[in-house]
């Protein structure tokens, strides 16, 4: 019985492979397209994509052209090759701006890149592209049922980018005066992040890093710059307390303020 089962499985696999091999060699592109759709519907994404790569250029201008291009994009999406899928989705909606699948193509061109968005420590070019594609989708389809999901993804990706900036700012702070004025770089990075991501959940961390860096910068300053830089600490103190009077860094910020205030007072 076991031998018969294994034999049946082997025959089915062999016949399936033989069928696919014959279709690949065929010059009948309508037949190839029909098999591509068959493999697509069976979620055999790799086989579907291989056939569609051949037939899409040939079918251009025909009644199958639009659908075949969209299926090619979805075949790569099914393989989790999101970058290639996004490229084909974009080709689709640019080629067929009023096409049957244009809303889905615009959505998935961004959603796939979101799924493939890298760790915050890595280059975020793909994350920026995902944001751009999803923002375009929301502009074109503000009332769509997918718009809320797109908006939530936008917030998530923005938080990822904000976190990357937070890691950079923390690195600058930790480097201190090593090979340059890294405290100033920390302040600039934090300022830029606060401008670009004003509603980030890391807002308090950025403001705290600013006052902390201002304080450390004042401590290592030459006499002529001391008073101005301690006044900067006092200014940052008020910025922090205006937003986070009960913040988790309140005690540390108060110590920075107290010390800076004494240094300013003692100069008179």
């Amino acid at each position: 019985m076991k031998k018969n089962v294994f034999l049946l499985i082997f025959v089915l696999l062999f016949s399936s492979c033989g069928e696919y091999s014959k279709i690949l060699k065929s010059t009948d592109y309508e037949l190839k397209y029909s098999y591509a759709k068959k493999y697509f519907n069976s979620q055999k994404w790799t086989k579907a994509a291989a056939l569609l790569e051949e037939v899409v250029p040939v079918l251009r201008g025909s009644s199958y052209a639009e659908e075949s291009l969209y299926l090619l994009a979805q075949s790569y999406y099914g393989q989790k090759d999101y970058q290639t899928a996004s490229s084909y989705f974009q080709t689709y909606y640019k080629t067929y701006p009023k096409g049957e699948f244009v809303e889905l193509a615009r959505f998935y061109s961004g959603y796939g890149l979101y799924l493939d968005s890298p760790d915050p420590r890595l280059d975020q070019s793909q994350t920026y592209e995902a944001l751009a594609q999803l923002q375009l989708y929301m502009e074109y389809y503000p009332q769509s049922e997918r718009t809320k999901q797109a908006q939530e993804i936008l917030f998530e990706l923005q938080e990822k980018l904000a976190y990357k900036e937070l890691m950079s700012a923390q690195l600058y702070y930790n480097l201190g005066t090593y090979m340059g004025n890294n405290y100033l770089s920390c302040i600039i990075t934090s300022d830029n992040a606060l401008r670009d991501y004003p509603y980030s959940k890391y807002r308090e961390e950025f403001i705290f890093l600013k006052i902390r860096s201002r304080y450390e910068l004042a401590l290592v300053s030459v006499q002529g710059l001391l008073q101005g830089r301690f006044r900067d600490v006092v200014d940052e103190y008020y910025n922090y307390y205006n937003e986070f009077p009960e913040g988790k860094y309140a005690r540390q910020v108060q110590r920075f303020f107290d010390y800076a205030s004494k240094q300013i007072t003692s100069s008179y």
Side-chain angles (χ1 to χ4, degrees):
M1 180 64 73
K2 287 184 180 179
K3 288 182 179 180
N4 291 335
V5 171
F6 286 133
L7 181 61
L8 178 61
I9 293 173
F10 176 78
V11 169
L12 289 173
L13 287 173
F14 182 78
S15 60
S16 175
C17 292
E19 174 191 76
Y20 177 65
S21 180
K22 287 180 181 178
I23 297 302
L24 276 177
K25 295 175 183 177
S26 174
T27 56
D28 186 338
Y29 287 98
E30 288 194 14
L31 178 66
K32 280 189 171 183
Y33 184 49
S34 68
Y35 269 88
K37 292 178 70 174
K38 172 186 171 182
Y39 291 133
F40 181 89
N41 292 329
S42 301
Q43 297 186 3
K44 295 177 180 177
W45 310 118
T46 303
K47 290 182 178 181
L51 290 174
L52 288 165
E53 284 282 9
E54 288 191 34
V55 303
V56 164
V58 178
L59 297 178
R60 191 174 295 132
S62 74
S63 58
Y64 302 119
E66 181 184 334
E67 182 188 54
S68 65
L69 179 57
Y70 179 73
L71 292 182
L72 177 58
Q74 283 288 8
S75 294
Y76 280 110
Y77 183 88
Q79 295 179 66
K80 299 184 179 181
D81 183 351
Y82 298 121
Q83 286 186 304
T84 304
S86 179
S87 177
Y88 277 120
F89 281 128
Q90 290 177 54
T91 300
Y92 174 88
Y93 71 65
K94 290 174 183 176
T95 307
Y96 306 103
K98 296 183 179 180
E100 180 182 355
F101 310 104
V102 67
E103 180 183 344
L104 289 171
R106 284 191 176 277
F107 178 77
Y108 282 113
S109 67
Y111 186 71
L113 293 175
Y114 153 70
L115 293 177
D116 211 26
S117 180
D119 184 275
R121 291 168 293 185
L122 303 176
D123 178 73
Q124 294 299 304
S125 299
Q126 197 160 310
T127 302
Y128 284 111
E129 179 62 21
L131 281 167
Q133 290 298 317
L134 289 169
Q135 284 171 336
L136 279 173
Y137 173 80
M138 292 171 61
E139 289 174 13
Y140 276 92
Y141 305 99
Q143 305 302 321
S144 171
E145 61 183 15
R146 296 180 183 83
T147 297
K148 183 179 179 181
Q149 183 183 6
Q151 182 68 70
E152 290 171 352
I153 293 169
L154 281 180
F155 290 147
E156 182 182 338
L157 293 177
Q158 286 171 345
E159 288 294 2
K160 175 182 278 191
L161 294 174
Y163 182 63
K164 183 176 179 64
E165 293 304 303
L166 179 62
M167 289 191 295
S168 296
Q170 289 171 333
L171 177 61
Y172 283 129
Y173 176 82
N174 292 334
L175 287 172
T177 56
Y178 177 72
M179 296 184 70
N181 188 347
N182 293 294
Y183 292 126
L184 186 57
S185 296
C186 176
I187 293 165
I188 293 170
T189 301
S190 298
D191 271 333
N192 290 339
L194 289 166
R195 180 198 63 213
D196 295 338
Y197 313 106
Y199 306 109
S200 171
K201 62 184 179 182
Y202 303 113
R203 184 172 180 83
E204 183 177 359
E205 277 73 11
F206 284 120
I207 297 176
F208 174 66
L209 276 171
K210 283 181 64 182
I211 188 172
R212 198 177 180 189
S213 294
R214 294 281 189 196
Y215 176 77
E216 295 293 343
L217 188 58
L219 293 181
V220 297
S221 295
V222 297
Q223 189 66 35
L225 297 175
L226 276 177
Q227 294 304 303
R229 287 183 171 172
F230 277 123
R231 287 192 182 92
D232 289 339
V233 174
V234 171
D235 290 341
E236 292 292 355
Y237 164 83
Y238 287 115
N239 289 337
Y240 180 88
Y241 263 92
N242 284 339
E243 289 199 46
F244 305 101
E246 304 295 329
K248 57 185 175 181
Y249 304 111
R251 290 185 179 180
Q252 289 172 269
V253 169
Q254 186 66 53
R255 288 199 299 270
F256 298 151
F257 172 77
D258 291 342
Y259 185 84
S261 298
K262 289 178 182 178
Q263 298 307 308
I264 295 170
T265 303
S266 64
S267 67
Y268 291 100

